[in-house]
């Protein structure tokens, strides 16, 4: 069996998966670059090869091509989310067409990847399946004024505002509305000259004019607004879980803890003690993993998923915040001596029934 990876050459996601394939006795995977996919370079896949689609992120030129923009964005700039999604859909379509034409098979269903990259569509799929998710507004607000009006109508005072097609907490706002018109927005967004940038520092905006400027800039690309679920805490931090499923089963779990509402590790979150969390959650931990199995079953064409699972304060209930198509990058996390990529390669070999 041979594997081809569609990704950004040299990116750690590509190199870590390639290393796992070699450890399993497979040959070094072929690499098809996203730049070639996006610029119309003829693509060549070996007949019978299995194609893994990797994240196109962290490459400024690939980002430009996906958005159909004339120039690359400034480092960290948040721009063109809807255009990016449209370009990504077209790129996935080209990969799928090439695989069909050249006798290759895909490790993930492109349609499922696209659902995972559309927070509103993903939320709707899980809700329809009876999977616990936070309540959400039924539409995407067109402006800060409309968002405030909708929140006043629902009576919600604490919400998470998320770009529909963002990732890695890009553009996410933890919003709190207080008495007397007070506003507190916690976010990694840096507002500079009317433009938005990702930052590694979590900021707090209390001036409604700033919050309005951020929301108004994000709204044209689509927003999903989820009611804030007060999370359980450990060691003075709120926590949630990134659960990676492989072949439908929970494989690797990371506890993410933070003293701010944003638990992402690149925003100052820390890895927590899974044993301590399991002890605190008791039988509810197993219930949470059962929910992750149910989530994976909603994406049967995907070898792996990355699920953000939240336990509510008191641990008795939980909800799924997001599902990530490329949520398996957990460097250094080993289960039975295997990282996430080792587990995925092993599942692939089992699925195909072909020895390395």
């Amino acid at each position: 069996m041979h594997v081809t990876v569609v990704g950004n050459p040299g990116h750690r996601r590509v190199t870590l998966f390639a290393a796992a394939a070699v450890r399993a006795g497979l040959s070094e995977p072929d690499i098809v670059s996203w730049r070639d996919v996006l610029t119309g370079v003829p693509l060549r896949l070996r007949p019978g090869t299995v194609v893994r689609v990797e994240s196109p992120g962290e490459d400024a030129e690939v980002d430009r091509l996906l958005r159909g923009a004339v120039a690359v964005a400034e480092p960290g700039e948040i721009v063109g989310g809807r255009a990016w999604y449209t370009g990504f859909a077209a790129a996935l379509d080209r990969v799928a067409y090439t695989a069909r034409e050249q006798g290759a098979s895909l490790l993930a269903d492109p349609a499922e990847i696209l659902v995972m990259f559309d927070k509103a569509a993903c939320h709707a799929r899980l809700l329809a399946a009876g999977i616990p998710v936070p309540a959400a507004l039924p539409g995407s607000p067109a402006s800060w004024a409309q968002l405030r009006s909708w929140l006043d109508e629902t009576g919600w005072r604490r919400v998470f505002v998320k770009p529909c097609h963002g990732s890695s907490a890009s553009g996410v706002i933890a919003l709190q509305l207080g008495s007397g018109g007070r506003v507190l927005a916690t976010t990694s967004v840096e507002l500079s000259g009317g433009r938005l940038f990702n930052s590694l520092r979590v900021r707090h905006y209390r001036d409604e004019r700033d919050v309005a400027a951020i929301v108004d800039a994000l709204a044209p690309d689509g927003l999903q607004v989820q009611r804030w679920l007060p999370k359980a805490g450990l060691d003075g931090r709120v926590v949630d879980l990134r659960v990676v499923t492989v072949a439908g089963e929970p494989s690797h779990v990371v506890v993410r803890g933070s003293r701010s509402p944003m638990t992402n590790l690149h925003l100052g979150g820390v890895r927590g003690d899974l044993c301590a969390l399991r002890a605190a959650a008791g039988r509810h931990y197993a219930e949470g993993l059962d929910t992750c199995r149910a989530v994976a079953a909603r994406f049967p064409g995907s070898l792996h998923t990355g699920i953000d699972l939240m336990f509510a304060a008191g641990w008795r209930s939980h909800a799924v915040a997001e599902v990530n198509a490329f949520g398996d990058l957990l460097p250094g996390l080993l289960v039975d001596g295997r990282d996430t990529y080792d587990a995925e390669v092993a599942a692939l070999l089992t699925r195909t029934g072909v020895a390395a």
Side-chain angles (χ1 to χ4, degrees):
M1 185 183 70
H2 190 270
V3 178
T4 296
V5 178
V6 179
N8 294 325
H11 191 283
R12 57 180 176 165
R13 294 176 180 272
V14 173
T15 58
L16 286 170
F17 179 82
V22 171
R23 282 195 296 272
L26 297 174
S27 59
E28 185 81 21
D30 292 337
I31 308 298
V32 172
S33 76
W34 278 115
R35 293 192 187 192
D36 286 350
V37 173
L38 292 163
T39 56
V41 172
L43 306 180
R44 297 287 181 263
L45 301 174
R46 301 189 197 191
T49 193
V50 177
V51 180
R52 174 184 172 89
V53 176
E54 257 302 353
S55 170
E58 300 184 38
D59 185 299
E61 177 62 11
V62 168
D63 173 76
R64 181 192 73 80
L65 291 166
L66 286 167
R67 290 184 293 109
V70 173
V72 298
E74 292 294 322
E77 187 174 8
I78 305 170
V79 62
R82 182 166 289 165
W84 183 98
Y85 183 78
T86 299
F88 186 45
L92 286 174
D93 187 63
R94 185 176 185 219
V95 171
Y97 175 82
T98 302
R100 289 193 302 269
E101 289 294 300
Q102 298 184 13
S105 59
L106 298 178
L107 270 178
D109 181 345
E112 292 183 3
I113 293 175
L114 290 173
V115 169
M116 286 185 261
F117 265 97
D118 183 329
K119 291 182 175 59
C122 188
H123 183 275
R125 176 174 291 198
L126 300 182
L127 184 64
I131 291 168
V133 290
L137 292 180
S140 174
S143 65
W144 166 249
Q146 186 171 62
L147 174 59
R148 282 223 64 160
S149 174
W150 286 0
L151 293 179
D152 287 342
E153 289 174 9
T154 61
W156 295 357
R157 314 311 292 166
R158 302 176 76 202
V159 295
F160 273 80
V161 182
K162 302 180 178 183
C164 278
H165 309 302
S167 60
S168 301
S170 175
V172 172
I173 305 164
L175 177 65
Q176 302 179 69
L177 304 179
S179 60
R182 290 179 299 169
V183 174
L184 174 60
T186 303
T187 178
S188 62
V189 173
E190 178 183 354
L191 180 62
S192 177
R195 298 160 71 188
L196 308 185
F197 295 85
N198 284 311
S199 169
L200 295 179
R201 181 168 69 85
V202 175
R203 290 170 163 75
H204 304 284
Y205 293 92
R206 292 179 171 84
D207 188 325
E208 185 170 349
R209 291 170 297 182
D210 291 335
V211 180
I214 294 172
V215 172
D216 287 347
L218 293 171
D221 288 318
L223 295 171
Q224 205 220 12
V225 182
Q226 295 180 351
R227 194 169 190 180
W228 187 319
L229 176 72
K231 296 178 185 176
L234 278 177
D235 299 325
R237 293 181 171 90
V238 295
V239 292
D240 60 19
L241 300 178
R242 167 61 57 85
V243 181
V244 174
T245 67
V246 178
E249 284 293 318
S251 172
H252 291 65
V253 181
V254 165
V255 180
R256 306 183 302 185
S258 177
R259 291 192 170 91
S260 87
M262 324 293 283
T263 59
N264 302 73
L265 299 181
H266 70 286
L267 296 178
V270 298
R271 290 192 181 186
D273 186 333
L274 181 58
C275 290
L277 183 141
R278 293 182 65 169
R283 64 179 177 82
H284 302 293
Y285 178 76
E287 293 169 358
L289 293 191
D290 284 341
T291 290
C292 292
R293 293 183 179 94
V295 171
R298 304 311 303 167
F299 298 93
S302 299
L303 182 67
H304 64 84
T305 65
I307 300 165
D308 292 343
L309 180 69
M310 308 180 295
F311 283 95
W315 302 100
R316 291 183 176 84
S317 64
H318 61 269
V320 173
E322 295 182 18
V323 187
N324 304 272
F326 305 124
D328 56 345
L329 180 63
L330 301 177
L333 180 65
L334 302 181
V335 175
D336 297 329
R338 304 193 304 188
D339 66 13
T340 53
Y341 301 104
D342 292 320
E344 290 161 19
V345 172
L348 172 60
L349 294 174
T350 299
R351 173 185 291 184
T352 58
V354 178

